[in-house]
């Protein structure tokens, strides 16, 4: 156990974490001591580490079979959990499985059983049906954002998976809401429930304001709002995929750089949108409610409800993308001239006057360059920095966040240098490869 503790300490240090939060420490202790734990905590509060660290303590080295399973509702969340586990730099193998990823690649990775398996219910159930995963000795189960999995219609898959697990000694459920009764198929008898939903505290840090358009078409009001908010990061919510695509295109026509995030995009496109948002290449992300929960996206200055959600719960989850982790935030409702205030919004919500003389925000300082090589090619962040400095002739200060995926890398570079940099390095080798390199749009 001392060795495991050292592994965790070293891993946290590698992640730049000096100490865990009181919530994380309390959850870790509870999971260590109780067989069944339900954790209710806002998105972004750090509960991933709170269940991964007990898993590290629990895993046995060189066991040769899957010991722990983490189920998540979305591919993005599965990948984020895998990334956090890898940052801990444990000696334990992890495999992440999700739809939109080639099944055969996952099956190959599973031939040597990982200690930890992470995935979405649909894909994990598929592996169980095909026999590429043996559930017989899994004894630690985490259902992360379990209510969202049910909301997305994974009931049958979750029942199938849970019924296949006959040796569980630990079950952890997490959720960002207390609105849903835990279904019987989960098999909990007397769980310890920990709630950190502190909605009152969040409400104190969250301002909610109203922008009222003078016309039926409220796009002009949104443009004025964006101009007025300037450099603030913004998550603009709409209700449907086509609305997100259309609104982002309209903003671009106005000279406002943005991107989209919704379930109709292919997985690589969704990853690219999030990467650009995280690294500062875009300040505005137009999204459906898929972005309201379970995503590791940076602190948002403003949540904008361009189309109003149908339920109060959806409203709360959208607003939860800002005013997180003790920070302040602001949610803005944009209403057309005759549009009624929704029932879940306060009748005395503060109006936000618009300054129609505000100028368009300048383009973000950063843009994203893609490199057609990644982890599978043994490409590291050190390799990327050295390559861009030596072959591209730029300074380290001109390089921002670097994200390296399996077969692709994305690098934030100063916008005014990007195209000249790409021309300079386009035919240059990196790690004995000559990958495709370009500016990501």
């Amino acid at each position: 156990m001392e060795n495991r503790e050292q592994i965790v300490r070293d891993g946290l240090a590698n992640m730049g974490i000096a100490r865990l939060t009181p919530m994380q420490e309390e959850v870790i202790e509870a999971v260590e001591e109780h067989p069944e734990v339900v954790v209710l905590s806002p998105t972004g509060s750090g509960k991933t580490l709170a269940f991964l660290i007990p898993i590290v303590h629990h895993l046995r080295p060189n066991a040769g079979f899957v010991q722990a399973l983490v189920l998540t509702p979305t591919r993005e969340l599965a990948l984020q959990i895998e990334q956090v586990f890898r940052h801990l730099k444990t000696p334990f193998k992890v495999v992440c499985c999700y739809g939109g990823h080639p099944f055969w690649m996952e099956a190959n990775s599973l031939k040597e059983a990982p200690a930890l398996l992470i995935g979405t219910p649909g894909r994990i159930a598929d592996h169980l049906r095909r026999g590429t995963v043996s559930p017989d000795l899994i004894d630690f189960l985490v259902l992360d954002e379990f209510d969202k999995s049910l909301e997305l219609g994974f009931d049958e898959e979750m029942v199938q998976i849970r019924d296949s697990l006959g040796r569980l000694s630990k079950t952890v459920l997490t959720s960002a809401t207390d609105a849903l009764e835990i279904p019987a198929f989960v098999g909990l008898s007397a769980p310890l429930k920990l709630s950190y939903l502190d909605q009152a505290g969040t409400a104190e840090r969250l301002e909610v304001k109203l922008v009222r358009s003078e016309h039926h078409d409220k796009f002009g009001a949104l443009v004025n709002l964006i101009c007025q908010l300037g450099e603030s990061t913004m998550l603009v919510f709409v209700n449907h995929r086509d609305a997100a695509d259309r609104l982002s295109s309209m903003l671009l026509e106005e000279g406002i750089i943005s991107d989209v995030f919704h379930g109709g995009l292919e997985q690589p496109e969704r990853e690219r949108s999030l990467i650009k948002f995280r690294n500062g290449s875009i300040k505005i992300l137009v999204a459906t409610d898929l972005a309201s929960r379970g995503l590791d996206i940076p602190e948002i200055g403003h949540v904008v409800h361009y189309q109003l959600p149908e339920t109060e719960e959806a409203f709360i989850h959208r607003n939860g993308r800002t005013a997180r982790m003790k920070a302040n935030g602001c949610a803005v409702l944009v209403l057309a001239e005759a549009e009624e205030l929704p029932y879940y919004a306060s009748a005395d919500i503060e109006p936000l006057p618009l300054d129609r003389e505000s100028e368009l925000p300048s383009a973000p300082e950063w843009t994203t360059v893609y490199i057609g090589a990644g982890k599978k090619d043994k490409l590291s962040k050190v390799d990327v920095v050295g390559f861009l400095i030596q072959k591209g002739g730029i300074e380290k200060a001109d390089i921002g966040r670097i994200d390296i995926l399996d077969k692709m890398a994305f690098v934030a570079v100063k916008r005014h240098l990007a195209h000249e940099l790409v021309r300079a390095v386009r035919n240059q080798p990196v790690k004995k490869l000559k990958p495709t390199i370009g500016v990501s749009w």
Side-chain angles (χ1 to χ4, degrees):
M1 183 60 73
E2 290 181 1
N3 187 40
R4 305 294 175 81
E5 293 289 357
Q6 188 61 51
I7 289 171
V8 169
R9 283 195 295 269
D10 291 346
L12 293 175
N14 178 64
M15 297 168 69
I17 298 174
R19 60 179 301 172
L20 296 169
T21 67
M23 181 277 285
Q24 290 170 329
E25 291 178 343
E26 188 174 37
V27 171
I28 289 168
E29 181 180 359
V31 175
E32 299 277 7
E33 295 182 357
H34 296 270
E36 301 172 344
V37 179
V38 176
V39 181
L40 306 176
S41 181
T43 299
S45 58
K47 58 180 177 287
T48 299
L49 270 177
F51 64 70
L52 284 180
I53 289 175
I55 287 177
V56 173
H57 290 162
H58 181 82
L59 296 177
R60 288 152 287 178
N62 305 315
F65 53 84
V66 180
Q67 302 172 59
L69 171 63
V70 178
L71 288 180
T72 74
T74 66
R75 295 172 283 191
E76 289 78 15
L77 186 52
L79 288 164
Q80 288 165 201
I81 295 170
E82 179 196 24
Q83 185 178 48
V84 173
F85 187 80
R86 291 191 185 280
H87 282 323
L88 285 173
K89 293 189 178 297
T90 77
F92 300 109
K93 180 180 178 180
V94 59
V95 171
C96 187
C97 301
Y98 50 89
H101 190 237
F103 186 91
W104 66 266
M105 289 181 62
E106 295 176 354
N108 283 342
S109 297
L110 291 166
K111 286 179 180 178
E112 180 186 334
L116 171 62
L117 179 61
I118 302 167
T120 52
R123 181 51 66 91
I124 296 297
D126 198 10
H127 278 290
L128 291 176
R129 285 192 295 268
R130 300 197 197 188
T132 45
V133 169
S134 172
D136 298 342
L137 298 175
I138 295 174
D139 58 358
F140 198 129
L141 173 66
V142 176
L143 301 180
D144 193 29
E145 301 281 6
F146 77 95
D147 55 313
K148 185 67 173 178
S149 292
L150 295 174
E151 181 184 320
L152 292 174
F154 288 124
D155 309 52
E156 290 185 13
E157 291 88 347
M158 293 178 75
V159 170
Q160 176 192 345
I161 294 167
R162 179 60 186 85
D163 286 348
S164 72
L165 305 176
R167 294 172 59 97
L168 287 182
S169 61
K170 295 279 185 185
T171 303
V172 179
L173 275 66
T174 80
S175 176
T177 178
D178 195 16
L180 187 70
E181 183 178 348
I182 298 172
F185 71 78
V186 179
L188 299 187
S189 55
L192 174 67
K193 186 175 180 180
L194 303 175
S195 179
Y196 305 92
L197 293 178
D198 187 18
Q199 293 180 353
T202 300
E204 292 173 2
R205 301 190 302 273
L206 176 70
E207 291 184 287
V208 181
K209 297 187 177 182
L210 172 66
V211 165
R212 175 77 70 174
S213 171
E214 297 178 356
H215 311 283
H216 173 71
D217 181 2
K218 54 189 179 183
F219 178 69
L222 176 64
V223 171
N224 286 334
L225 174 64
I226 290 172
C227 292
Q228 186 163 314
L229 297 180
E231 299 300 316
S232 176
T233 51
M234 249 170 284
L235 199 50
V236 180
F237 279 106
V238 295
N239 294 334
H240 304 287
R241 301 168 179 180
D242 58 346
D245 292 332
R246 185 171 60 251
L247 183 58
S248 183
S249 297
M250 291 168 64
L251 290 174
L252 187 59
E253 290 174 3
E254 293 291 326
I256 298 172
I257 296 175
S258 68
D259 210 335
V260 295
F261 184 88
H262 56 69
L265 299 175
E266 295 295 327
Q267 178 66 17
E269 296 176 294
R270 284 155 64 174
E271 288 179 357
R272 186 177 60 206
S273 294
L274 291 178
I275 285 169
K276 290 163 65 178
F277 197 44
R278 292 185 189 113
N279 71 20
S281 293
I282 57 170
K283 295 293 185 71
I284 300 170
L285 190 64
V286 183
T288 61
D289 283 338
L290 183 64
S292 67
R293 295 174 60 185
L295 292 182
D296 178 21
I297 54 180
E299 186 61 51
I300 308 300
H302 290 79
V303 164
V304 178
H305 302 274
Y306 186 70
Q307 292 180 340
L308 302 178
E310 295 181 359
T311 67
E312 182 176 12
E313 182 180 358
F315 183 64
I316 291 171
H317 285 307
R318 286 183 180 186
N319 291 344
R321 303 314 313 177
T322 187
R324 296 166 60 196
M325 298 293 285
K326 306 301 182 184
N328 294 325
C330 182
V332 183
L333 285 74
V334 180
L335 270 62
E337 183 179 25
E339 197 171 3
E340 294 184 1
L341 198 67
Y343 72 91
Y344 46 74
S346 170
D348 58 355
I349 185 172
E350 181 183 353
L352 177 61
L354 292 180
D355 178 6
R356 289 170 176 76
E357 302 302 317
S358 297
E359 297 182 355
L360 286 174
S362 57
E365 177 185 13
W366 303 95
T367 192
T368 299
V369 169
Y370 66 83
I371 301 173
K375 294 176 185 175
K376 299 290 187 183
D377 305 296
K378 310 299 183 184
L379 188 70
S380 70
K381 293 181 181 181
V382 173
D383 296 327
V384 171
V385 172
F387 173 67
L388 295 180
I389 291 175
Q390 294 168 21
K391 305 293 185 180
I394 64 175
E395 303 293 329
K396 189 173 182 180
D398 298 324
I399 303 172
R401 175 172 172 146
I402 300 172
D403 291 273
I404 300 184
L405 310 183
D406 283 350
K407 300 297 291 183
M408 187 75 69
F410 295 92
V411 191
V413 299
K414 293 292 179 64
R415 183 172 294 271
H416 68 284
L417 299 174
H419 289 283
E420 185 61 36
L421 170 68
V422 168
R423 280 193 289 270
V425 302
R426 181 162 280 157
N427 295 313
Q428 299 294 326
V430 53
K431 297 288 283 192
K432 298 183 179 179
L433 302 169
K434 286 192 176 180
T436 303
I437 299 174
V439 178
S440 181
W441 297 102

